[in-house]
mmCIF file of all heavy atoms in Angstrom:
data_model
loop_
_atom_site.group_PDB
_atom_site.id
_atom_site.type_symbol
_atom_site.label_atom_id
_atom_site.label_comp_id
_atom_site.label_asym_id
_atom_site.label_seq_id
_atom_site.Cartn_x
_atom_site.Cartn_y
_atom_site.Cartn_z
ATOM 1 N N LYS A 3 9.529 -5.422 -2.515
ATOM 2 C CA LYS A 3 8.709 -6.405 -3.231
ATOM 3 C C LYS A 3 7.536 -5.719 -3.924
ATOM 4 O O LYS A 3 6.886 -4.850 -3.342
ATOM 5 C CB LYS A 3 8.138 -7.456 -2.265
ATOM 6 C CG LYS A 3 9.117 -7.998 -1.238
ATOM 7 C CD LYS A 3 10.285 -8.724 -1.876
ATOM 8 C CE LYS A 3 11.230 -9.254 -0.807
ATOM 9 N NZ LYS A 3 12.459 -9.825 -1.389
ATOM 10 N N ASP A 4 7.236 -6.134 -5.147
ATOM 11 C CA ASP A 4 5.982 -5.730 -5.770
ATOM 12 C C ASP A 4 4.836 -6.414 -5.033
ATOM 13 O O ASP A 4 4.990 -7.528 -4.498
ATOM 14 C CB ASP A 4 5.946 -6.108 -7.248
ATOM 15 C CG ASP A 4 6.879 -5.246 -8.095
ATOM 16 O OD1 ASP A 4 7.159 -4.098 -7.695
ATOM 17 O OD2 ASP A 4 7.343 -5.725 -9.150
ATOM 18 N N ILE A 5 3.673 -5.757 -5.011
ATOM 19 C CA ILE A 5 2.518 -6.274 -4.279
ATOM 20 C C ILE A 5 1.409 -6.627 -5.255
ATOM 21 O O ILE A 5 0.904 -5.756 -5.976
ATOM 22 C CB ILE A 5 1.986 -5.235 -3.265
ATOM 23 C CG1 ILE A 5 3.095 -4.742 -2.331
ATOM 24 C CG2 ILE A 5 0.813 -5.826 -2.478
ATOM 25 C CD1 ILE A 5 3.696 -5.796 -1.448
ATOM 26 N N ALA A 6 1.028 -7.909 -5.295
ATOM 27 C CA ALA A 6 -0.181 -8.320 -6.007
ATOM 28 C C ALA A 6 -1.303 -8.240 -4.980
ATOM 29 O O ALA A 6 -1.461 -9.116 -4.127
ATOM 30 C CB ALA A 6 -0.033 -9.727 -6.566
ATOM 31 N N LEU A 7 -2.067 -7.161 -5.040
ATOM 32 C CA LEU A 7 -2.948 -6.772 -3.937
ATOM 33 C C LEU A 7 -4.353 -7.355 -4.085
ATOM 34 O O LEU A 7 -5.096 -6.991 -4.991
ATOM 35 C CB LEU A 7 -3.032 -5.248 -3.862
ATOM 36 C CG LEU A 7 -3.847 -4.661 -2.710
ATOM 37 C CD1 LEU A 7 -3.156 -4.925 -1.380
ATOM 38 C CD2 LEU A 7 -4.066 -3.172 -2.908
ATOM 39 N N ALA A 8 -4.702 -8.268 -3.169
ATOM 40 C CA ALA A 8 -6.063 -8.789 -3.107
ATOM 41 C C ALA A 8 -6.697 -8.486 -1.759
ATOM 42 O O ALA A 8 -7.823 -8.889 -1.495
ATOM 43 C CB ALA A 8 -6.071 -10.292 -3.354
ATOM 44 N N ASN A 9 -5.978 -7.775 -0.897
ATOM 45 C CA ASN A 9 -6.464 -7.433 0.440
ATOM 46 C C ASN A 9 -7.017 -6.013 0.412
ATOM 47 O O ASN A 9 -6.274 -5.039 0.332
ATOM 48 C CB ASN A 9 -5.320 -7.557 1.454
ATOM 49 C CG ASN A 9 -5.715 -7.067 2.839
ATOM 50 O OD1 ASN A 9 -5.644 -5.884 3.128
ATOM 51 N ND2 ASN A 9 -6.142 -7.971 3.683
ATOM 52 N N LYS A 10 -8.342 -5.883 0.431
ATOM 53 C CA LYS A 10 -8.982 -4.572 0.311
ATOM 54 C C LYS A 10 -8.627 -3.640 1.464
ATOM 55 O O LYS A 10 -8.456 -2.432 1.292
ATOM 56 C CB LYS A 10 -10.497 -4.740 0.244
ATOM 57 C CG LYS A 10 -11.010 -5.328 -1.058
ATOM 58 C CD LYS A 10 -12.520 -5.440 -1.019
ATOM 59 C CE LYS A 10 -13.084 -5.755 -2.400
ATOM 60 N NZ LYS A 10 -12.560 -7.002 -2.949
ATOM 61 N N GLU A 11 -8.544 -4.225 2.657
ATOM 62 C CA GLU A 11 -8.412 -3.409 3.852
ATOM 63 C C GLU A 11 -7.134 -2.586 3.873
ATOM 64 O O GLU A 11 -7.070 -1.525 4.495
ATOM 65 C CB GLU A 11 -8.485 -4.308 5.092
ATOM 66 C CG GLU A 11 -9.818 -4.995 5.300
ATOM 67 C CD GLU A 11 -10.013 -6.238 4.439
ATOM 68 O OE1 GLU A 11 -9.060 -6.647 3.738
ATOM 69 O OE2 GLU A 11 -11.117 -6.801 4.473
ATOM 70 N N THR A 12 -6.102 -3.052 3.190
ATOM 71 C CA THR A 12 -4.815 -2.360 3.184
ATOM 72 C C THR A 12 -4.954 -0.931 2.678
ATOM 73 O O THR A 12 -4.486 0.016 3.313
ATOM 74 C CB THR A 12 -3.796 -3.138 2.329
ATOM 75 O OG1 THR A 12 -3.564 -4.410 2.936
ATOM 76 C CG2 THR A 12 -2.475 -2.393 2.228
ATOM 77 N N LEU A 13 -5.584 -0.757 1.535
ATOM 78 C CA LEU A 13 -5.741 0.593 0.983
ATOM 79 C C LEU A 13 -6.921 1.326 1.587
ATOM 80 O O LEU A 13 -6.885 2.554 1.716
ATOM 81 C CB LEU A 13 -5.885 0.534 -0.541
ATOM 82 C CG LEU A 13 -4.639 0.116 -1.319
ATOM 83 C CD1 LEU A 13 -4.877 0.266 -2.821
ATOM 84 C CD2 LEU A 13 -3.417 0.922 -0.917
ATOM 85 N N VAL A 14 -7.973 0.609 1.953
ATOM 86 C CA VAL A 14 -9.140 1.272 2.541
ATOM 87 C C VAL A 14 -8.751 2.031 3.801
ATOM 88 O O VAL A 14 -9.141 3.184 4.007
ATOM 89 C CB VAL A 14 -10.244 0.233 2.849
ATOM 90 C CG1 VAL A 14 -11.325 0.840 3.756
ATOM 91 C CG2 VAL A 14 -10.872 -0.263 1.553
ATOM 92 N N THR A 15 -7.957 1.401 4.652
ATOM 93 C CA THR A 15 -7.629 2.018 5.935
ATOM 94 C C THR A 15 -6.289 2.745 5.929
ATOM 95 O O THR A 15 -6.086 3.663 6.720
ATOM 96 C CB THR A 15 -7.596 0.949 7.051
ATOM 97 O OG1 THR A 15 -6.546 0.021 6.781
ATOM 98 C CG2 THR A 15 -8.915 0.211 7.127
ATOM 99 N N ALA A 16 -5.380 2.333 5.048
ATOM 100 C CA ALA A 16 -4.017 2.882 5.093
ATOM 101 C C ALA A 16 -3.500 3.292 3.723
ATOM 102 O O ALA A 16 -2.295 3.338 3.509
ATOM 103 C CB ALA A 16 -3.071 1.860 5.733
ATOM 104 N N GLY A 17 -4.393 3.625 2.806
ATOM 105 C CA GLY A 17 -3.964 4.035 1.472
ATOM 106 C C GLY A 17 -3.063 5.250 1.492
ATOM 107 O O GLY A 17 -2.122 5.364 0.691
ATOM 108 N N HIS A 18 -3.314 6.159 2.459
ATOM 109 C CA HIS A 18 -2.506 7.378 2.563
ATOM 110 C C HIS A 18 -1.082 7.072 3.026
ATOM 111 O O HIS A 18 -0.188 7.903 2.870
ATOM 112 C CB HIS A 18 -3.175 8.369 3.521
ATOM 113 C CG HIS A 18 -3.313 7.863 4.930
ATOM 114 N ND1 HIS A 18 -4.128 6.812 5.274
ATOM 115 C CD2 HIS A 18 -2.718 8.265 6.088
ATOM 116 C CE1 HIS A 18 -4.040 6.584 6.572
ATOM 117 N NE2 HIS A 18 -3.191 7.444 7.090
ATOM 118 N N LEU A 19 -0.879 5.884 3.585
ATOM 119 C CA LEU A 19 0.462 5.449 3.978
ATOM 120 C C LEU A 19 1.089 4.554 2.912
ATOM 121 O O LEU A 19 2.277 4.676 2.607
ATOM 122 C CB LEU A 19 0.395 4.675 5.311
ATOM 123 C CG LEU A 19 -0.237 5.393 6.510
ATOM 124 C CD1 LEU A 19 -0.312 4.449 7.702
ATOM 125 C CD2 LEU A 19 0.561 6.647 6.872
ATOM 126 N N ILE A 20 0.291 3.657 2.346
ATOM 127 C CA ILE A 20 0.797 2.638 1.424
ATOM 128 C C ILE A 20 1.266 3.232 0.107
ATOM 129 O O ILE A 20 2.372 2.915 -0.380
ATOM 130 C CB ILE A 20 -0.277 1.569 1.159
ATOM 131 C CG1 ILE A 20 -0.626 0.813 2.448
ATOM 132 C CG2 ILE A 20 0.171 0.606 0.052
ATOM 133 C CD1 ILE A 20 0.468 -0.063 2.984
ATOM 134 N N MET A 21 0.456 4.076 -0.511
ATOM 135 C CA MET A 21 0.799 4.566 -1.850
ATOM 136 C C MET A 21 2.071 5.425 -1.846
ATOM 137 O O MET A 21 2.936 5.242 -2.715
ATOM 138 C CB MET A 21 -0.380 5.316 -2.461
ATOM 139 C CG MET A 21 -1.621 4.438 -2.682
ATOM 140 S SD MET A 21 -1.309 2.875 -3.555
ATOM 141 C CE MET A 21 -0.926 3.487 -5.212
ATOM 142 N N PRO A 22 2.263 6.345 -0.892
ATOM 143 C CA PRO A 22 3.540 7.068 -0.846
ATOM 144 C C PRO A 22 4.728 6.144 -0.576
ATOM 145 O O PRO A 22 5.818 6.350 -1.117
ATOM 146 C CB PRO A 22 3.347 8.066 0.295
ATOM 147 C CG PRO A 22 1.875 8.262 0.402
ATOM 148 C CD PRO A 22 1.288 6.929 0.064
ATOM 149 N N MET A 23 4.530 5.103 0.240
ATOM 150 C CA MET A 23 5.601 4.131 0.496
ATOM 151 C C MET A 23 5.990 3.405 -0.780
ATOM 152 O O MET A 23 7.175 3.206 -1.068
ATOM 153 C CB MET A 23 5.144 3.101 1.535
ATOM 154 C CG MET A 23 5.366 3.480 2.974
ATOM 155 S SD MET A 23 5.031 2.056 4.045
ATOM 156 C CE MET A 23 6.450 1.021 3.669
ATOM 157 N N ALA A 24 4.986 2.975 -1.548
ATOM 158 C CA ALA A 24 5.262 2.258 -2.787
ATOM 159 C C ALA A 24 6.058 3.129 -3.750
ATOM 160 O O ALA A 24 6.998 2.657 -4.409
ATOM 161 C CB ALA A 24 3.952 1.807 -3.436
ATOM 162 N N GLU A 25 5.706 4.407 -3.811
ATOM 163 C CA GLU A 25 6.446 5.331 -4.681
ATOM 164 C C GLU A 25 7.870 5.525 -4.178
ATOM 165 O O GLU A 25 8.834 5.509 -4.952
ATOM 166 C CB GLU A 25 5.720 6.670 -4.758
ATOM 167 C CG GLU A 25 6.366 7.662 -5.711
ATOM 168 C CD GLU A 25 5.568 8.934 -5.859
ATOM 169 O OE1 GLU A 25 4.494 9.062 -5.240
ATOM 170 O OE2 GLU A 25 6.022 9.818 -6.611
ATOM 171 N N LYS A 26 8.013 5.672 -2.857
ATOM 172 C CA LYS A 26 9.336 5.889 -2.262
ATOM 173 C C LYS A 26 10.268 4.713 -2.543
ATOM 174 O O LYS A 26 11.450 4.907 -2.869
ATOM 175 C CB LYS A 26 9.189 6.094 -0.760
ATOM 176 C CG LYS A 26 10.521 6.222 -0.016
ATOM 177 C CD LYS A 26 10.303 6.382 1.488
ATOM 178 C CE LYS A 26 11.630 6.406 2.231
ATOM 179 N NZ LYS A 26 11.432 6.529 3.699
ATOM 180 N N TYR A 27 9.760 3.490 -2.406
ATOM 181 C CA TYR A 27 10.603 2.301 -2.557
ATOM 182 C C TYR A 27 10.588 1.743 -3.982
ATOM 183 O O TYR A 27 11.223 0.725 -4.252
ATOM 184 C CB TYR A 27 10.172 1.224 -1.556
ATOM 185 C CG TYR A 27 10.555 1.565 -0.140
ATOM 186 C CD1 TYR A 27 9.649 2.191 0.725
ATOM 187 C CD2 TYR A 27 11.831 1.290 0.350
ATOM 188 C CE1 TYR A 27 9.997 2.519 2.024
ATOM 189 C CE2 TYR A 27 12.189 1.616 1.656
ATOM 190 C CZ TYR A 27 11.273 2.234 2.479
ATOM 191 O OH TYR A 27 11.615 2.559 3.767
#
């Protein structure tokens, strides 16, 4: 799923996990 991101905490705390995942999928 594409993410329309309005939740700040997702990238603040887990950006190093989220961004590579988004690229992978």
Side-chain angles (χ1 to χ4, degrees):
K3 316 298 180 187
D4 288 334
I5 306 297
L7 184 68
N9 174 275
K10 288 180 168 59
E11 295 80 6
T12 296
L13 291 187
V14 167
T15 64
H18 62 293
L19 304 176
I20 296 292
M21 297 310 290
M23 273 189 72
E25 184 175 359
K26 175 182 176 181
Y27 288 95

